[in-house]
Amino acid sequence: MSKETARALVVGGGVAGMQAALDIANQGFKVYLVERSPSIGGRMAMLDKTFPTLDCSACILTPKLSEIARHPNIRLMTCAEVGSVTGSAGNFRVKLRRKARFVRENLCSGCGACSAECPVEVANEFDQGLGFRKAIYTPFPQATPNVYTVDKENCIDCSRCVKVCERNAIDLEMKDSFVNLDVGTIIIATGFELFDVSRYPRLGYGQYPNVIHAMEFERLINAAGPTHGHLIRLSDGKKPKSIGFIQCVGARDVQKGVPYCSRVCCMYSIKNAVMALEHNPEAEVWVYYADIRAFGKGFEEFYEMAKSRFGVRFVRGRVAEVMEGKSSHDLVVKVEDTATSKLRLIEHDLVVISPGVIPSSGMDTMAKKIGIDQTNDGYIEISHTFFGPTITKIPGVFVCGCADGPKDIPDSVSAGSAAAMKATIILSSGGT
Amino acid sequence: MSGTEDEPRIGVFVCHCGHNIAGTVDVEAVAHMASNLPGVAFAADEMFMCSDAGQTLIKEKIKEHNLNRVVVASCSPRMHEPTFRRVVEEAGLNRYLFDQVNLREHVSWCHMREPELATEKAIDLVRMSVARASKLQNLPIKKVNVLPTTLVVGGGIAGLRASLDIADRGFDVLLVEKTPKLGGNVAKWTHLFPSDETGADIIKPLIRDVKKNKRIKILTESKVSEFDGYIGNFGVTVKNLKTEKEERYEVGAVIVTTGFEPFKPVGYYSYGESPDILTLAELQELPRSEQLLKISNGKPVKKVVFIGCVGSRQPGVKGHEHCSRHCCSATAKAAADLRDRVDEVLVLYQDIRTYGKGHEEFHRMARQKHVIYSKFPQNEYPDVIVKKSKITIKWRDVLADEDLEFEPDMVVLASAMIPPEDVEETSHLFSLTRSGDGFFNPEHIKLAPLTTHTAGVMIAGAAQAAKNASESVIDASGAAAKAVGLMAQGEVEIESTVSHVIPELCSSCHTCLTACAYNAISMDETKDPPIAVVTEAKCHGCGTCAAACPSSAIVMYHSTDDQILTMVEAFLCPSPSIQGGG
């Protein structure tokens, strides 16, 4: 491997990919960090607080975002996707598709004048569709790079943004482009997606306005979210007095094709239950679960605190059905409390479903392009549990974070560092 | 760089943090008040100071208004102080001419229900910070070299993995193991649940590679007896436990992989009263055989009971409140495997935590093989009675709502992972703190799980918390990346916010030596009388020495008496032009 190819490619700009990129770059190697959305930060940027310390997620993440942005060894490429991969360890050639963002990155200062002028308002995916953004936008205030993007599907080509931009950064005629990268090693950190909980019609998601999923809840309680952190019901804007959290939806379910445990839902729901009480100490909060899996450092202690200090009520039982009142949009959860063997009907004015974790969309195509194997669940297959938990079957290609299975933040961060270690061994030794 | 002797021209930037601060504190009022303070040349409020827009604003205003001090009133400096220091540096100011006020954790979050009082407090804090800013001084930016060797403490699976990765990357390793053999807990296990392999299958190739590698120096039956120095330049004394001989080494970084110990559950479930009551770790160490035989009399085992959470998940019991993470999955696999060889297998549990990759499948497989899972109530533990070598177990099944009884031939207690006996010693040696579970604290539980508060010292594997062998291997490679990151750069910046002894004032009383928690102060014996000196790379800037010094001979750079008293004065005597607060 020549000096030219002593570079790494990291695919995915979530917390695992960011950590991997930083640990490679800190050893003096160049890294391309490729992210398909307009900003790095991944799912963690959307979360409100993190378990078990209730750290504000965005607040602990943003220093990493700016570290990436200013690192001299990291070349950040957003709105970009892997097109094809050829070659072998030490000498990969990667064709990258750079999707037109219709704003020239080198000219945009992120001033936001364009967005203020834009007449089009659409639902903001970053807020899970609960808030609005313009057709020219950044997903969130600390988006990195701080460059605007035109959502061409919703843009009406009025060109008002073009006129108002003092730096002439906007080009509505921009086309997708392709770049070739020569790299010695590749790290896959493509993360996860949430299971579509409307596939359980009996739980009412998508039918009843006050049944929401956990990521929507995160945005609702977030001070930078669509309600400025006011926890309200979507039907009438009232403060919910009784909230139920439903666990294992799209997880540990053979019939729905997700037989595995999603590993994070127990803890994020306990955290969300505690946050609901922080927002409204008078509320009643219930969690319906199968097993509480509080297995990580400080997790059991947090679970205990949720029960004893906050008074979150835990009911062991899989929810049979969520029903809605005729006029009020209030809800009733039907569940067998298996600890007492009693069938119960419990009234709530808000129900939060905890969706399981599934591989990110596009995983199949990407795995094929690179030639790596997938498990039955669709995640990337690792070479060996003990010898190579971050190594794939293709030499020189590594994996970290949720790309090879659900993980929480610290486990994703550790795996990011571990994959970086493996990648730099290749970069320093000059090949396979 | 602008000198610190100039008239202060302070810029104050008040952050909304979205709604986090602005939802409670009247940020506009705070910024307006600040603009009237003496020395303030510019004040403004902004949505997110940490965003690119916020950072650019600071840089632009420094240029535009010729600012020579910057105050940002936003969140805890623990997260963004490095960000803003860099910002002012990029604008040509010394990074220590920046001060941060914590309006979020210290004001808006804790006084959410009293917005008016919160705003008053914010005004006080900003006023004090501005007063302090006018007294801030340039401090030098210092770097130290990093020696290209890493000390790995503990030769279990994590220590072996970390050593190999570092050596494969081209750096030297000093691997210290207290027992005569490498391999740790994993090596002892004939069954490495929840996998199909034996511990030897996994550990032997690692040991072979480590022994073969010329870059790794292995010291078995040895312990680190002394540890000093600072990031990049640690001094290590390693004592051979057999010969008692000590040898001195110098290393640039350290990875602590001291692992865990299986809890011996004496006092739980009649453990010790019958040889047929054993821990999961002891089961994993039994020789592989066609048939499972009773330890007591060698007869075949027909009925086995596993009990979960033994010495784990006990709130209120020190060092046992944590979940031991590995046991549910290991139990599921062990139970499923054993079911092929014995008639009945029972698992008594509180929750089934088969969270890992493929682990839920082991649990399902166990059930398919008719392993019986029975949930016992929280805090109503099963009773194990040993009478005339017969074991009886009585418990309440929550789901059937029944009291049950069973006479197993063998009882396996899934006992907790606890820190090794000498964990206290290790924690003092490397200045590591421990959490409630007894294991070492990482630098940050979410985003820095492998580094610690001792710069240059990493932790990996079960030294950090209960975890399984696969997770330990991931940690180990990750910690290796951190060590290599330091060594590959060859040098590292150190903080200048350290203490300094003014030799003329030192009375040689040694008070500071005893006060310092980091061994950062020593006496220069070449002087008569000896005079205290600070090793800056070891100093954490805590200020304990400065407070303890009876002669006021110690200056805390960046927190000088003058800087602190100015803040007190600003709090007590607000300038008359300022409304509110005080």
Side-chain angles (χ1 to χ4, degrees):
Chain A
M1 179 165 44
S2 68
K3 268 193 174 165
E4 283 303 298
T5 46
R7 295 161 185 265
L9 167 68
V10 178
V11 187
V15 71
M18 285 162 57
Q19 189 59 54
L22 283 171
D23 280 326
I24 296 172
N26 283 338
Q27 291 192 25
F29 298 107
K30 302 275 181 208
V31 186
Y32 298 107
L33 177 57
V34 169
E35 163 62 41
R36 67 178 169 189
S37 77
S39 170
I40 54 169
R43 304 277 156 181
M44 192 180 162
M46 297 175 182
L47 305 179
D48 181 55
K49 301 285 192 292
T50 57
F51 59 81
T53 44
L54 298 181
D55 275 314
C56 157
S57 189
C59 316
I60 60 177
L61 186 69
T62 46
K64 288 238 188 238
L65 298 178
S66 52
E67 203 180 337
I68 294 264
R70 71 168 197 264
H71 205 296
N73 289 341
I74 298 177
R75 173 85 197 280
L76 177 57
M77 297 167 123
T78 49
C79 295
E81 273 181 358
V82 172
S84 66
V85 177
T86 51
S88 59
N91 291 291
F92 289 109
R93 170 156 277 213
V94 181
K95 192 174 184 185
L96 215 63
R97 182 195 189 94
R98 302 212 66 184
K99 289 172 288 178
R101 78 190 304 159
F102 305 100
V103 177
R104 293 184 198 94
E105 287 184 18
N106 55 339
L107 293 180
C108 176
S109 69
C111 71
C114 53
S115 194
E117 189 66 21
C118 178
V120 182
E121 276 193 343
V122 290
N124 188 357
E125 7 347 49
F126 190 82
D127 284 332
Q128 303 296 305
L130 298 177
F132 294 97
R133 62 161 171 82
K134 296 295 185 69
I136 184 164
Y137 70 105
T138 59
F140 57 102
Q142 298 96 333
T144 306
N146 183 30
V147 170
Y148 278 71
T149 304
V150 178
D151 162 11
K152 208 59 170 145
E153 267 174 38
N154 290 298
C155 172
I156 53 168
D157 281 320
C158 67
S159 294
R160 282 160 75 166
C161 55
V162 180
K163 284 177 208 117
V164 81
C165 179
E166 287 179 2
R167 313 182 73 148
N168 255 332
I170 301 168
D171 172 9
L172 294 176
E173 303 300 314
M174 195 181 271
K175 297 271 182 302
D176 289 5
S177 61
F178 293 89
V179 262
N180 287 316
L181 307 176
D182 291 315
V183 295
T185 173
I186 299 171
I187 293 178
I188 312 289
T190 45
F192 69 95
E193 258 164 48
L194 293 175
F195 184 90
D196 173 13
V197 295
S198 67
R199 286 177 61 196
Y200 289 85
R202 60 188 167 82
L203 299 180
Y205 181 84
Q207 306 160 53
Y208 311 142
N210 294 328
V211 178
I212 61 173
H213 66 64
M215 194 57 103
E216 293 170 337
F217 184 86
E218 296 278 355
R219 297 313 299 160
L220 276 185
I221 58 170
N222 190 289
T227 57
H228 286 176
H230 294 292
L231 176 57
I232 51 160
R233 315 208 302 169
L234 297 183
S235 67
D236 52 13
K238 275 191 197 146
K239 256 185 165 178
K241 292 191 193 80
S242 168
I243 306 170
F245 289 86
I246 303 178
Q247 297 305 105
C248 288
V249 180
R252 301 178 69 189
D253 186 340
V254 180
Q255 286 175 351
K256 289 277 194 283
V258 277
Y260 53 90
C261 165
S262 283
R263 208 162 154 160
V264 288
C265 335
C266 279
M267 289 312 295
Y268 76 59
S269 295
I270 298 174
K271 178 265 295 181
N272 282 342
V274 165
M275 288 315 296
L277 286 161
E278 286 258 298
H279 281 251
N280 180 9
E282 260 79 72
E284 270 187 17
V285 178
W286 301 63
V287 177
Y288 305 98
Y289 72 98
D291 293 286
I292 290 291
R293 297 193 160 166
F295 57 82
K297 190 174 179 79
F299 293 4
E300 181 71 23
E301 293 84 339
F302 188 77
Y303 170 40
E304 189 54 36
M305 182 188 78
K307 284 190 288 187
S308 55
R309 206 176 103 198
F310 283 87
V312 176
R313 300 179 197 195
F314 289 86
V315 176
R316 188 183 179 281
R318 286 224 176 190
V319 170
E321 198 180 351
V322 177
M323 295 164 286
E324 193 190 48
K326 275 220 173 84
S327 52
S328 62
H329 292 302
D330 288 346
L331 303 160
V332 176
V333 163
K334 186 175 174 185
V335 63
E336 184 198 345
D337 182 344
T338 54
T340 58
S341 306
K342 287 207 178 80
L343 187 68
R344 301 188 64 170
L345 296 170
I346 300 167
E347 290 180 18
H348 291 299
D349 34 28
L350 180 69
V351 164
V352 185
I353 297 181
S354 302
V357 164
I358 55 170
S360 77
S361 69
M363 179 71 107
D364 297 353
T365 4
M366 199 196 51
K368 266 198 207 93
K369 278 175 195 161
I370 302 179
I372 41 180
D373 291 344
Q374 287 169 280
T375 60
N376 292 340
D377 306 329
Y379 294 102
I380 288 173
E381 184 135 61
I382 53 166
S383 73
H384 193 278
T385 320
F386 302 108
F387 293 126
T390 56
I391 301 176
T392 70
K393 298 244 160 92
I394 303 271
V397 179
F398 305 99
V399 60
C400 62
C402 292
D404 65 294
K407 280 182 196 65
D408 59 21
I409 293 167
D411 287 352
S412 296
V413 169
S414 279
S417 294
M421 184 68 240
K422 299 296 180 189
T424 56
I425 290 173
I426 298 230
L427 294 178
S428 67
S429 68
T432 54
Chain B
M1 193 177 290
S2 59
T4 33
E5 305 308 317
D6 301 349
E7 267 305 288
R9 294 184 59 78
I10 305 168
V12 180
F13 300 85
V14 185
C15 182
H16 294 220
C17 195
H19 215 61
N20 275 305
I21 296 172
T24 303
V25 173
D26 184 346
V27 285
E28 279 174 36
V30 176
H32 178 73
M33 175 286 303
S35 66
N36 293 323
L37 288 173
V40 172
F42 176 80
D45 56 285
E46 167 76 21
M47 189 54 90
F48 283 102
M49 287 313 303
C50 64
S51 69
D52 227 41
Q55 295 183 26
T56 312
L57 179 77
I58 298 176
K59 285 189 224 170
E60 281 172 7
K61 295 302 167 189
I62 289 175
K63 296 254 147 62
E64 194 181 321
H65 296 274
N66 204 15
L67 305 177
N68 57 18
R69 306 282 194 289
V70 170
V71 170
V72 174
S74 56
C75 51
S76 160
R78 275 203 64 187
M79 291 321 297
H80 274 301
E81 189 178 66
T83 311
F84 296 124
R85 279 185 173 180
R86 176 185 50 81
V87 169
V88 300
E89 203 157 46
E90 282 171 3
L93 294 183
N94 181 275
R95 67 174 75 152
Y96 295 101
L97 298 178
F98 161 76
D99 196 45
Q100 189 164 359
V101 187
N102 186 352
L103 292 191
R104 198 179 64 191
E105 284 85 344
H106 286 178
V107 183
S108 64
W109 278 357
C110 53
H111 305 301
M112 213 172 268
R113 290 176 183 90
E114 299 155 300
E116 277 170 26
L117 289 171
T119 303
E120 273 185 36
K121 180 172 171 183
I123 284 172
D124 283 344
L125 291 175
V126 170
R127 205 176 61 231
M128 290 159 74
S129 172
V130 165
R132 170 178 145 84
S134 64
K135 302 277 183 180
L136 289 176
Q137 287 168 335
N138 280 336
L139 291 176
I141 312 303
K142 292 177 190 163
K143 284 184 173 180
V144 294
N145 289 331
V146 180
L147 295 169
T149 305
T150 294
L151 164 72
V152 175
V153 188
I157 191 164
L160 293 170
R161 183 73 264 164
S163 300
L164 264 182
D165 282 345
I166 294 171
D168 284 347
R169 172 68 178 81
F171 290 93
D172 293 336
V173 176
L174 180 67
L175 174 59
V176 178
E177 163 60 41
K178 67 180 173 187
T179 71
K181 277 187 173 170
L182 295 174
N185 281 299
V186 174
K188 295 182 209 155
W189 294 336
T190 48
H191 304 77
L192 181 55
F193 297 123
S195 83
D196 280 319
E197 284 114 331
T198 67
D201 289 343
I202 303 305
I203 220 76
K204 270 193 184 154
L206 281 178
I207 295 178
R208 190 192 58 217
D209 290 352
V210 163
K211 285 189 172 162
K212 229 170 44 188
N213 200 309
K214 291 201 182 74
R215 290 198 175 275
I216 305 174
K217 184 177 174 65
I218 308 166
L219 300 172
T220 47
E221 274 196 291
S222 300
K223 264 188 128 168
V224 176
S225 56
E226 274 175 56
F227 182 75
D228 51 46
Y230 47 85
I231 184 169
N233 302 272
F234 294 111
V236 190
T237 307
V238 182
K239 184 177 178 180
N240 185 301
L241 297 172
K242 223 162 62 187
T243 62
E244 303 245 310
K245 253 173 69 184
E246 292 194 324
E247 204 152 342
R248 190 86 182 148
Y249 299 89
E250 287 186 337
V251 300
V254 180
I255 302 178
V256 176
T257 56
T258 45
F260 73 98
E261 222 170 66
F263 172 58
K264 289 268 178 213
V266 179
Y268 291 74
Y269 303 116
S270 304
Y271 178 77
E273 285 175 36
S274 159
D276 297 324
I277 301 177
L278 59 167
T279 64
L280 183 62
E282 287 159 354
L283 178 79
Q284 299 202 108
E285 288 170 27
L286 289 183
R288 289 200 161 218
S289 64
E290 284 293 305
Q291 250 188 333
L292 183 64
L293 304 174
K294 283 174 78 167
I295 319 273
S296 57
N297 56 15
K299 287 187 185 159
V301 172
K302 290 191 173 142
K303 297 185 258 181
V304 186
V305 170
F306 287 84
I307 303 178
C309 301
V310 180
S312 301
R313 303 186 60 192
Q314 287 181 293
V317 181
K318 196 171 183 287
H320 289 286
E321 187 172 351
H322 66 283
C323 161
S324 289
R325 186 161 175 154
H326 76 295
C327 2
C328 279
S329 304
T331 299
K333 183 63 165 57
D337 286 0
L338 284 182
R339 184 62 187 83
D340 297 334
R341 291 182 270 165
V342 305
D343 296 342
E344 282 182 77
V345 180
L346 235 74
V347 178
L348 307 188
Y349 70 96
Q350 288 190 52
D351 286 284
I352 302 167
R353 296 183 167 174
T354 44
Y355 64 87
K357 200 186 178 99
H359 296 180
E360 189 71 13
E361 287 75 359
F362 291 134
H363 168 218
R364 207 165 285 126
M365 181 171 74
R367 297 231 188 212
Q368 274 162 4
K369 288 186 177 180
H370 303 289
V371 168
I372 297 162
Y373 273 81
S374 172
K375 182 176 163 74
F376 63 85
Q378 215 195 352
N379 303 325
E380 209 181 303
Y381 298 98
D383 260 339
V384 176
I385 304 138
V386 183
K387 222 178 207 173
K388 290 186 192 154
S389 79
K390 198 164 81 182
I391 307 172
T392 310
I393 176 162
K394 295 177 178 177
W395 77 102
R396 179 158 194 82
D397 182 294
V398 176
L399 305 182
D401 198 19
E402 262 181 287
D403 290 319
L404 299 173
E405 204 174 304
F406 190 67
E407 288 180 1
D409 301 315
M410 186 178 267
V411 176
V412 181
L413 306 176
S415 75
M417 271 190 183
I418 57 167
E421 211 184 6
D422 56 359
V423 64
E424 187 70 34
E425 203 182 307
T426 317
S427 97
H428 283 308
L429 206 52
F430 300 104
S431 305
L432 303 176
T433 58
R434 297 197 290 147
S435 44
D437 56 12
F439 295 102
F440 299 125
N441 268 325
E443 188 181 358
H444 190 278
I445 200 163
K446 288 312 247 194
L447 291 183
L450 304 171
T451 45
T452 69
H453 288 295
T454 309
V457 178
M458 272 60 75
I459 48 176
Q464 193 246 36
K467 54 186 72 179
N468 67 30
S470 176
E471 292 157 348
S472 298
V473 166
I474 294 177
D475 273 9
S477 292
K482 302 290 173 195
V484 172
L486 289 172
M487 295 189 292
Q489 283 176 11
E491 55 180 18
V492 62
E493 271 184 15
I494 56 165
E495 266 296 334
S496 288
T497 54
V498 292
S499 63
H500 172 73
V501 181
I502 303 165
E504 297 75 31
L505 296 180
C506 177
S507 65
S508 196
C509 70
H510 290 58
T511 305
C512 54
L513 249 77
T514 31
C516 179
Y518 305 98
N519 292 320
I521 307 183
S522 55
M523 298 304 286
D524 180 356
E525 303 285 347
T526 62
K527 302 272 161 50
D528 185 28
I531 280 171
V533 269
V534 179
T535 306
E536 294 192 345
K538 291 173 82 174
C539 176
H540 283 224
C542 69
T544 312
C545 57
C549 178
S551 320
S552 296
I554 301 184
V555 185
M556 263 310 304
Y557 288 138
H558 210 54
S559 294
T560 62
D561 288 354
D562 189 26
Q563 286 162 358
I564 292 170
L565 290 173
T566 310
M567 291 169 78
V568 177
E569 198 177 303
F571 174 70
L572 296 173
C573 325
S575 80
S577 59
I578 307 308
Q579 296 290 309

